[in-house]
Amino acid sequence: MSRPATATPMSAVVKHSLTHAADALGVRNPLPLVGELIEETFRRPSGDRAYARNALAPGAVPYEPSFSESEPDMLRFTIEPLGPDVSPASRRDESTRQARRLIGPLMGRDALRWFDERSEAWRGVGGLGWMSFGAWFGSAFDEDGLYATKVYYELLPQQLDSLPPALARMVRIAISVMPGLVPIFTSIGCARDRGSQRVTFLHRGALPVSTLGPLMNQLGIGHQLPSLMRVIGVALGGRFELPPGGVLIGLRESGGGVEMKLEVLLPMIPDLPTRFLDLLKLGLAERPRQMIALERWLQAFELGAESEPGQFSVLSVRVTPQSPARVSVYVRPIEFELRDSLRPERQVA
């Protein structure tokens, strides 16, 4: 990606990235709907070290586009709103405000009512000192405009009773089978045709992927463990044990049962293959439509075969009772601009 001058606000870099990607993917430009939020969030200069202080993409700019095999032709991205100096409560309130601002006019009163009911337990809590980041804001765009918007609310274990009954039951099963799971956030999103809520856990300690079997059996998706292990094994070059602090597990209701989402935090993998991208593509070889969509998406964010593995932040693999493993991948397209700006100080130190 070409770099604007140092004094240029980071918002110009993010807006260029989104505009270029929207043009390349043939989707509606998101800036008319979220441009003001981008301006407010990234008003500091490009390369400002303060951007590294975030929970979404620590050490990088908190702007994370993603490709989903399940939604292959969309422009999806998540940000940590309002910049590094605001309180977590302010970030939570702004994420909620932005979601409501989009859902009501574009998706209707029923969708807004559903979002308000689902989010009440999290958006209604005062500015408590326990919050670390507050919330993140995500959205997805297709050729018709806004397809989905989502808020990721920070979550404490004692808030689990506020979850919908079916989701709370999944969470209780997960914690009983795998006591090393710690709930860290819940994501509440509205798409044009549905709403969904997920709880995401951090797994404490190392995780051999095969040990997910008992939990998946309890949730009715145990038969999908081989496909999940195959995707992980291929993409990570034969690694089947994930390191401490490198695994998130998400659960939500899907149309036909439980959806489990295994997220591998790639910066935590000590020996991530240099050919990670090639291996990821290899896992899609039997699904040519998704392979073509991934290639388009990589080009949209100017990520080619020469891209360093460090630009890929998360490998996500989802399974449901009806669907074997499906892949998502998250990137940090501005990571190396910020990293370059940090190098001189590190050398002086």
Side-chain angles (χ1 to χ4, degrees), residues 134-148:
W136 302 321
F137 177 77
S139 53
F141 291 80
D142 62 14
E143 61 185 3
D144 295 319
L146 181 73
Y147 174 75

Side-chain angles (χ1 to χ4, degrees), residues 12-279:
V13 183
V14 176
K15 289 163 74 174
H16 168 76
S17 172
L18 289 172
T19 299
H20 181 275
D23 290 345
L25 295 172
V27 304
R28 194 76 62 87
N29 192 321
L31 294 183
L33 291 180
V34 298
E36 290 186 7
L37 177 61
I38 298 297
E39 291 277 1
E40 183 67 22
T41 297
F42 301 105
R43 62 171 54 195
R44 287 173 174 266
S46 172
D48 192 312
R49 297 181 187 87
Y51 286 117
R53 302 195 308 268
N54 73 86
L56 176 65
V61 177
Y63 158 62
E64 195 169 54
S66 61
F67 168 83
S68 172
E69 188 180 351
S70 302
E71 298 172 343
D73 301 314
M74 293 191 189
L75 172 56
R76 302 159 21 115
F77 61 97
T78 303
I79 63 172
E80 186 172 288
L82 297 186
D85 297 326
V86 304
S87 69
S90 296
R91 196 173 287 120
R92 176 206 61 195
D93 294 346
E94 180 64 12
S95 296
T96 302
R97 188 183 75 83
Q98 292 290 337
R100 299 188 77 255
R101 179 180 67 85
L102 296 175
I103 292 170
L106 299 177
M107 298 179 185
R109 288 181 296 179
D110 290 344
L112 181 59
R113 186 181 307 112
W114 180 92
F115 176 83
D116 284 345
E117 291 172 355
R118 285 294 180 104
S119 63
E120 181 177 7
W122 289 273
R123 62 184 171 82
V125 178
L128 302 179
W130 59 265
M131 285 192 291
S132 171
F133 64 89
W136 302 321
F137 177 77
S139 53
F141 291 80
D142 62 14
E143 61 185 3
D144 295 319
L146 181 73
Y147 174 75
T149 188
K150 181 183 297 186
V151 178
Y152 301 76
Y153 290 104
E154 199 166 355
L155 176 65
L156 283 179
Q158 52 264 42
Q159 293 179 299
L160 297 179
D161 290 341
S162 299
L163 295 170
L167 184 56
R169 185 165 55 251
M170 292 179 207
V171 168
R172 287 193 293 269
I173 291 172
I175 293 174
S176 66
V177 175
M178 299 182 69
L181 294 179
V182 180
I184 55 173
F185 61 82
T186 183
S187 52
I188 302 173
C190 283
R192 290 197 194 106
D193 55 349
R194 67 186 185 280
S196 67
Q197 182 173 2
R198 177 184 288 117
V199 170
T200 298
F201 306 85
L202 173 69
H203 182 267
R204 293 178 296 194
L207 178 71
V209 180
S210 61
T211 61
L212 289 170
L215 172 60
M216 295 177 70
N217 286 334
Q218 286 282 331
L219 297 174
I221 50 177
H223 58 290
Q224 304 293 12
L225 179 61
S227 74
L228 185 149
M229 292 188 66
R230 184 164 54 252
V231 169
I232 294 293
V234 170
L236 299 186
R239 171 184 279 273
F240 291 98
E241 180 168 321
L242 306 175
V247 183
L248 303 180
I249 295 174
L251 298 175
R252 72 172 180 178
E253 302 173 74
S254 69
V258 177
E259 178 194 83
M260 189 186 81
K261 181 180 182 183
L262 176 67
E263 296 193 312
V264 182
L265 308 183
L266 297 175
M268 301 298 295
I269 303 296
D271 53 356
L272 186 66
T274 56
R275 295 178 57 249
F276 168 75
L277 182 54
D278 291 334
L279 295 173

